[in-house]
Amino acid sequence: MDGVSDVRDLIAIVLSQTARSGIQASETQTCSVSPKPKWRNDFIDRELLNIAEGEELLLKFRTDLMPLFPFVLIHEVNFGELREKSPFLLLCIMSACLEHKPALQQRFEFEVRSVISTRIMMNMERDMDILRGLLVHIAWSHYHWRNYHTQVYMLLQMAMAIVVDLGLDRYDNLRMRHIYDHGEDMEGSQREQVLCLTPDGQRAFLGCYYLCSKASIFRRQLNMKYTDWVNHCAECLGQRAEYPSDQYIKALIEIQLLARKSELELENPAHATNNDELFQSIDVLENKIEQLFVQNKKCNTWALRLELNATPAIVLGHALSQRDRHHQYNQRRLLRIARSAFNIVTVFLATPTSVTPNLPMFSYTSIWYGLLVLSKLSLLSDAAKEDNSLEVHSRDIHNLGLAAMQKMETISRGKDVWDNCRAVIGSMLSWLEKSRTKSKEIQLHKESSRKQEVENPDLLPEPVPEDSPLVTVSAVTEDWDATVWHQMLQDLTWIGGIPVEQQSAVHSFQGP
């Protein structure tokens, strides 16, 4: 009986194991059909946003923001595909579209920094998801004005490095590669070669070049090296033109190329073109852009309109750095620069309130540049001009600045980027008025000294009052932006200096 019992027990064990194996096989088969979703731990998983909110923000990006920055296009993909294939790009898009919720946007900005630290710095990753995400984040980085000056230039350097590492610049240099076996390495090399020929790869490359060109207006070290590949990519996108915005890319790049050419000619006068040729190049480019507006009347072209009006100031403004050549300025050049600078601000004032909050960083760079150019021209001495027909009045600059401040006040929610921009412009207006007054004091003092009409040289004559007093801007916030703006206005390092007769007036001012 004991033997029979042992056999029964053995059969029971075998049947039990078989049953368990069948269950496991069934579970395995079920998993292969319906795999468990991957745990991402992203902003959806941690309930910062739900999927419906994310889809709404993605639609906002496509409709309102993407036309203003045509270097990163996501026409075909949906929210789920972006979340799966381009999680960092999606994160940056969400962050860029949350300006109406500053507290939540600040949390997303921290998320962006965390991903950058992990993927770029720790994991040494380099791919199009990271590059395109960086471009979006940089393009609207002014939203994060509290951290802007400590981050944007570093992020641009990262983007430039990734462009090189991915081979998008087609330049013969050292690129980072993971160590694969021979077959995988060859495959990765082929991917690099193909990537630089794709529209998305060329848009990303040109986007990095464009952002660096705009940022270099205030920080010259960020100039990205120009190669023939820049022009080739712009031409390819313009000819292929999968989307109307590809034509805008070509126009934006051509503006920067013309500005760079003008700057290089000033650095090497032997290769300089005459004024007529330079003006003709600007006119041809402006006409081409105007034709784009006619062809695409339904498109959002406000960012390009700002760049169009900024073109003469950007291209011709480099010459203002030549202090020893001020006497060579002709009226036509100065008038063209002044008109362009005024138009930049007036176009911004005409921008619809629905568009203004979505303008990317480089649009505001053009606005600040225009105000700086006007400030420079208003402080130029009479000796810098052939006659007195050019008049850039500080009152006109003051009125433009106040109008811009009022426009920003209408979209500000308090303690945000628009509030900060108001403080920055207020700082400029305050500086300009004090500098103008100080300059008049010094000029009158010199004239009086020459005529020996002042017995006591310590007593300066009163500055000549204007028709009506200017509205002063008080309580300017002394944050980083106001400080940097004031320093640029005081030293004007972006254009290399100011006339000798104005230096004493400018440098004697210590702040509002």
Side-chain angles (χ1 to χ4, degrees):
M1 293 294 293
D2 292 339
V4 174
S5 178
D6 292 341
V7 171
R8 289 175 177 171
D9 291 341
L10 181 59
I11 292 173
I13 293 172
V14 171
L15 290 175
S16 177
Q17 292 177 343
T18 303
R20 280 199 297 270
S21 299
I23 293 173
Q24 291 174 355
S26 176
E27 289 177 348
T28 302
Q29 184 177 4
T30 302
C31 289
S32 64
V33 174
S34 302
K36 184 179 179 180
K38 180 182 178 182
W39 180 254
R40 300 178 183 86
N41 195 29
D42 62 1
F43 59 90
I44 295 293
D45 294 327
R46 285 181 287 106
E47 299 182 348
L48 294 178
L49 291 174
N50 58 44
I51 292 179
E53 291 171 329
E55 290 177 339
E56 183 179 347
L57 292 177
L58 182 60
L59 178 61
K60 174 183 176 180
F61 179 80
R62 279 198 175 101
T63 305
D64 301 332
L65 277 72
M66 192 169 70
L68 301 172
F69 185 72
F71 298 98
V72 178
L73 303 184
I74 51 168
H75 287 287
E76 289 81 10
V77 293
N78 58 37
F79 185 87
E81 290 172 333
L82 272 179
R83 190 183 178 200
E84 181 67 30
K85 298 178 181 179
S86 303
F88 182 63
L89 173 59
L90 181 62
L91 175 66
C92 293
I93 288 173
M94 298 294 101
S95 177
C97 294
L98 283 169
E99 85 288 343
H100 60 294
K101 295 182 178 180
L104 183 58
Q105 188 179 49
Q106 190 172 355
R107 292 187 65 180
F108 268 76
E109 189 271 336
F110 180 79
E111 291 288 318
V112 171
R113 279 189 285 158
S114 298
V115 175
I116 289 174
S117 300
T118 302
R119 293 187 62 182
I120 298 180
M121 303 303 297
M122 295 179 63
N123 297 343
M124 304 297 288
E125 295 183 44
R126 305 287 191 270
D127 57 31
M128 285 292 288
D129 175 36
I130 295 176
L131 177 58
R132 298 172 82 201
L134 278 177
L135 295 179
V136 169
H137 192 60
I138 293 169
W140 285 276
S141 55
H142 56 287
Y143 287 158
H144 315 292
W145 58 274
R146 296 176 183 85
N147 301 309
Y148 173 82
H149 77 304
T150 58
Q151 285 192 59
V152 67
Y153 297 121
M154 178 185 66
L155 295 179
L156 271 171
Q157 297 278 4
M158 289 183 176
M160 292 166 64
I162 294 175
V163 163
V164 173
D165 294 340
L166 294 178
L168 295 178
D169 61 344
R170 286 296 294 270
Y171 199 70
D172 188 17
N173 48 29
L174 177 65
R175 303 189 184 102
M176 293 184 60
R177 288 191 178 93
H178 294 290
I179 300 177
Y180 302 106
D181 60 43
H182 179 71
E184 291 179 342
D185 186 55
M186 290 296 293
E187 182 182 349
S189 178
Q190 291 174 358
R191 278 199 305 269
E192 286 182 357
Q193 293 177 6
V194 173
L195 186 59
C196 69
L197 300 176
T198 64
D200 282 340
Q202 292 179 345
R203 292 187 191 105
F205 166 63
L206 293 177
C208 187
Y209 181 85
Y210 183 75
L211 288 175
C212 288
S213 298
K214 294 296 293 187
S216 68
I217 290 177
F218 297 129
R219 195 161 183 168
R220 296 284 176 133
Q221 300 90 333
L222 281 174
N223 249 329
M224 190 171 169
K225 182 178 178 63
Y226 169 77
T227 65
D228 291 338
W229 186 247
V230 175
N231 187 61
H232 174 77
C233 290
E235 289 289 343
C236 285
L237 287 176
Q239 294 172 3
R240 187 165 42 208
E242 292 182 313
Y243 307 100
S245 58
D246 286 339
Q247 294 283 359
Y248 302 164
I249 290 179
K250 187 174 184 296
L252 292 171
I253 295 300
E254 286 181 347
I255 293 173
Q256 297 307 311
L257 294 182
L258 186 58
R260 182 60 179 158
K261 178 182 178 182
S262 173
E263 184 180 12
L264 291 175
E265 288 175 348
L266 285 173
E267 295 174 359
N268 188 356
H271 301 288
T273 58
N274 59 47
N275 284 330
D276 290 336
E277 291 179 3
L278 191 57
F279 290 154
Q280 184 178 6
S281 297
I282 295 174
D283 292 339
V284 169
L285 184 54
E286 288 179 334
N287 289 334
K288 287 171 62 177
I289 296 175
E290 290 287 357
Q291 291 176 6
L292 291 179
F293 295 151
V294 174
Q295 296 170 4
N296 303 280
K297 293 181 179 180
K298 296 183 179 180
C299 297
N300 186 341
T301 58
W302 283 102
L304 184 58
R305 288 181 186 276
L306 277 168
E307 292 301 282
L308 168 66
N309 286 275
T311 299
I314 291 174
V315 174
L316 303 174
H318 298 300
L320 294 176
S321 64
Q322 307 298 304
R323 281 184 288 173
D324 58 338
R325 295 175 59 194
H326 278 166
H327 64 280
Q328 299 178 11
Y329 276 162
N330 60 53
Q331 210 65 16
R332 184 183 177 193
R333 177 184 285 263
L334 290 176
L335 284 171
R336 193 76 180 265
I337 295 173
R339 189 180 301 114
S340 171
F342 273 113
N343 288 343
I344 294 170
V345 185
T346 53
V347 169
F348 168 71
L349 295 176
T351 305
T353 54
S354 60
V355 174
T356 305
N358 301 323
L359 288 172
M361 176 193 73
F362 59 77
S363 294
Y364 288 97
T365 300
S366 296
I367 295 166
W368 297 333
Y369 183 83
L371 289 171
L372 276 172
V373 167
L374 290 173
S375 301
K376 170 69 175 184
L377 292 175
S378 72
L379 293 175
L380 277 177
S381 67
D382 291 337
K385 296 171 285 189
E386 292 179 356
D387 55 59
N388 295 324
S389 62
L390 175 69
E391 294 291 343
V392 180
H393 297 288
S394 59
R395 178 171 304 282
D396 294 331
I397 302 173
H398 197 89
N399 291 337
L400 277 177
L402 287 179
M405 292 174 66
Q406 292 170 359
K407 185 176 183 68
M408 291 172 180
E409 186 176 11
T410 61
I411 59 177
S412 174
R413 298 172 182 267
K415 294 183 179 181
D416 54 13
V417 60
W418 319 119
D419 190 49
N420 189 57
C421 285
R422 290 177 63 252
V424 169
I425 297 176
S427 176
M428 187 214 74
L429 296 180
S430 176
W431 176 88
L432 184 59
E433 174 61 13
K434 291 182 179 181
S435 297
R436 183 191 65 82
T437 303
K438 197 73 173 181
S439 176
K440 283 189 175 182
E441 291 176 356
I442 293 173
Q443 184 178 357
L444 289 175
H445 175 62
K446 288 181 178 180
E447 292 176 355
S448 299
S449 298
R450 284 194 299 267
K451 296 178 181 179
Q452 296 183 349
E453 295 179 354
V454 178
E455 296 180 0
N456 187 350
D458 295 328
L459 297 177
L460 299 179
E462 293 294 326
V464 178
E466 297 191 8
D467 297 336
S468 59
L470 292 175
V471 179
T472 58
V473 182
S474 59
V476 175
T477 305
E478 287 295 337
D479 56 15
W480 74 266
D481 256 335
T483 303
V484 171
W485 180 270
H486 166 67
Q487 190 65 38
M488 284 191 296
L489 287 168
Q490 186 178 27
D491 298 332
L492 295 182
T493 53
W494 60 279
I495 53 178
I498 55 177
V500 175
E501 59 269 26
Q502 299 291 340
Q503 290 183 15
S504 57
V506 174
H507 290 286
S508 63
F509 175 62
Q510 297 299 322

